[in-house]
Amino acid sequence: MVNKPIAVGVLALQGGVVEHLNLLRKASAHIQSADNLQFTFNEVRTPPQLAQCDALILPGGESTTMAIVASRLGLLEPLRTFVKVQHKPVWGTCAGLVMLAEEAAATKQGGQELIGGLNVRVLRNRYGTQMQSFVAGLDLSFLGDSGKDDPFRAVFIRAPIVEKIITEGEVDGSKGSKVEVLGVFRAEGQQARLEQGGEAEKGDIVAVRQGNVFGTSFHPELTNDIRIHVWWLRQVVDALGHGK
Amino acid sequence: MATNLHPTTNGTTNDDFTVKAGLAQMLKGGVIMDVTTAAEARIAEEAGAVAVMALERIPSDIRKMGGVARMSNPEMIQDIQKAVTIPVMAKARIGHVVECQILEALDVDYIDESEVLTPADDQFHVQKSDFKIPFVCGCRNLGEALRRIKEGAAMIRTKGEAGTGDIVEAVKHIRTVNADIARAKAALAAGGDLAISALAREIGADVALLKQTAELGRLPVVNFAAGGVATPADAALMMHLGCDGVFVGSGIFKDAETPEHAAKRARAIVKATAQYTDGKALIAASIEHGEAMRGISNAGLKPEEKMAGRGW
């Protein structure tokens, strides 16, 4: 039996949209399943387009702009329903991670609208201005063996981090999945002390998952490395009950 | 403390350019607004601007006042940096390496080596790859764009005639860039590397960058429109012509009756840029925008009054 294709959207209000679509197309060639499933990849700008999607990526960009434009287009509530009521799989990179957090610090005066879904507080622009943007190799064990042997070259641009995991009870309706930390960045000094047998310093949380909601501080879409896109598409396939 | 957090020492040159060009990629589909005070920067941020360009006078006032236009006062740039959380860009004069060093030390997010200011060097632009901070530069054609990218620019803007509110020059230059790219594609298809080399000589561009452009079918970095954008329809027109986003200089604050009017204009241009294919959204944006800056017709300008021709 041939299933209906899985519709994956990329929120296209602003930012690195094409970059995600390109990597998704490359990554989909690596997904094998028992029932020969197909994917479609589309830009999402309106509530009807969102309603067509089985899963969604919120790309990098300026989170203040995205929140303002989404609100003016009447997309915020449909997005909240998509993430928190329908529990469809979503992945936010950088600004997308900010949008998926329940709380954000260092926002513009007066704060900004968020979608939520991750019981975390993000800190915007953790490392400072563009002069402090950087690329670093990350060990991402959720990628399996390849994540251990071949660090992921993670691009951090005016990046946010997860500064706090909000424990259950602090946020309404937080029952259910727990927040899992999937990636930590340690600056050179911290990493060296760890390797010399020092106590593991906490480092910065830069990849998290809670149920079907996944977020990264960095931009896999600015590299040619498809591993995280392949991993995420597999998560989408599993969440939608295909290939079992 | 802040310095040892950043593993810049393991970064290769390639990584550095990924980081520089990457910020421009994150600005795509957005509007970058010229602002002269912290209050104007806040209006821009609230309206949904993806970044602000801090400068002492908007281009229409530079045009009116004459004299030498230079890098802005660092104190004013710092005030703007404190006021907003979105990226802050600032302009340096063409070829003025020290103004660029000052702006880099100020920790702005991007430098615009800009023809809107009076050029400091009539032969050379700044060697931008020597800097850690990324640069955006203007162009009128593909050769000029690729010369700037070769020097290290991580973002391009097609030049319009700044401060006029007349879109005609911006349209002319994006059309020229698009036509040049079509020519490069045709040359690669018909004559391969030899044809690319010949075209590169003709337009004064680097061979490898020209080949990359031909293969991609677009500029190898993000390209915004700049100069003469005065209305939501102007912004949507530039998106329609293939720009990745728009700079709006005088169009927001020039001749605005009140801060509220400027805020409405700013919101309207953000909306029109994000939804440039949606006719209904453009109607709403045009109504919200209200009266535009009065403007100066480009056809009435003498050659020496034009800024777009500056750049080598």
Side-chain angles (χ1 to χ4, degrees), chain A residues 129-132, chain B residues 20 71 74 77 81 88 90-92 96-112 126-135:
Chain A
T129 72
Q130 175 64 8
M131 286 293 287
Q132 283 79 44
Chain B
K20 289 174 170 180
M71 180 191 81
I77 295 171
Q81 287 174 307
V88 175
K91 289 183 194 285
H96 205 309
V97 178
V98 173
E99 284 188 351
C100 297
Q101 288 170 348
I102 294 169
L103 292 174
E104 183 176 65
L106 272 171
D107 238 359
V108 300
D109 294 286
Y110 241 89
I111 295 178
D112 183 2
V126 170
Q127 184 64 41
K128 291 162 278 286
S129 53
D130 289 348
F131 285 80
K132 177 158 190 264
I133 192 165
F135 281 76

Side-chain angles (χ1 to χ4, degrees), chain B residues 54-184:
Chain B
L55 75 176
E56 236 153 34
R57 298 198 294 271
I58 51 176
S60 62
D61 291 340
I62 291 175
R63 203 169 266 294
K64 204 164 69 188
M65 293 174 74
V68 177
R70 311 180 178 92
M71 180 191 81
S72 299
N73 182 342
E75 203 170 18
M76 165 271 199
I77 295 171
Q78 286 171 324
D79 283 348
I80 289 172
Q81 287 174 307
K82 276 179 222 146
V84 296
T85 64
I86 55 178
V88 175
M89 303 183 168
K91 289 183 194 285
R93 282 179 271 176
I94 289 173
H96 205 309
V97 178
V98 173
E99 284 188 351
C100 297
Q101 288 170 348
I102 294 169
L103 292 174
E104 183 176 65
L106 272 171
D107 238 359
V108 300
D109 294 286
Y110 241 89
I111 295 178
D112 183 2
E113 188 186 17
S114 177
E115 70 283 358
V116 170
L117 305 183
T118 311
D121 190 321
D122 63 0
Q123 287 201 321
F124 300 117
H125 283 250
V126 170
Q127 184 64 41
K128 291 162 278 286
S129 53
D130 289 348
F131 285 80
K132 177 158 190 264
I133 192 165
F135 281 76
V136 55
C137 288
C139 79
R140 286 156 295 171
N141 52 53
L142 182 58
E144 193 175 7
L146 297 183
R147 285 195 293 282
R148 297 296 87 79
I149 295 168
K150 181 69 182 168
E151 291 157 359
M155 178 179 183
I156 289 292
R157 49 180 176 74
T158 40
K159 293 177 190 172
E161 198 48 45
T164 61
D166 186 345
I167 198 69
V168 66
E169 290 289 287
V171 170
K172 180 164 98 188
H173 295 141
I174 184 67
R175 282 205 188 287
T176 305
V177 169
N178 289 341
D180 289 349
I181 292 171
R183 227 183 124 200

Side-chain angles (χ1 to χ4, degrees), chain A residues 21-37:
Chain A
L21 288 169
N22 289 343
L23 276 200
L24 281 170
R25 290 194 184 103
K26 278 191 206 166
S28 65
H30 294 256
I31 308 290
Q32 268 125 31
S33 73
D35 50 2
N36 224 351
L37 60 103

Side-chain angles (χ1 to χ4, degrees), chain A residues 4 31 42 62 85 97 103 112 123 137 151 169 176 196 213 232:
Chain A
K4 191 165 134 305
I31 308 290
N42 294 299
E62 272 306 313
V85 178
L97 166 66
E103 292 178 16
Q112 71 180 70
L123 174 62
Q196 285 155 19
V213 189
W232 183 71

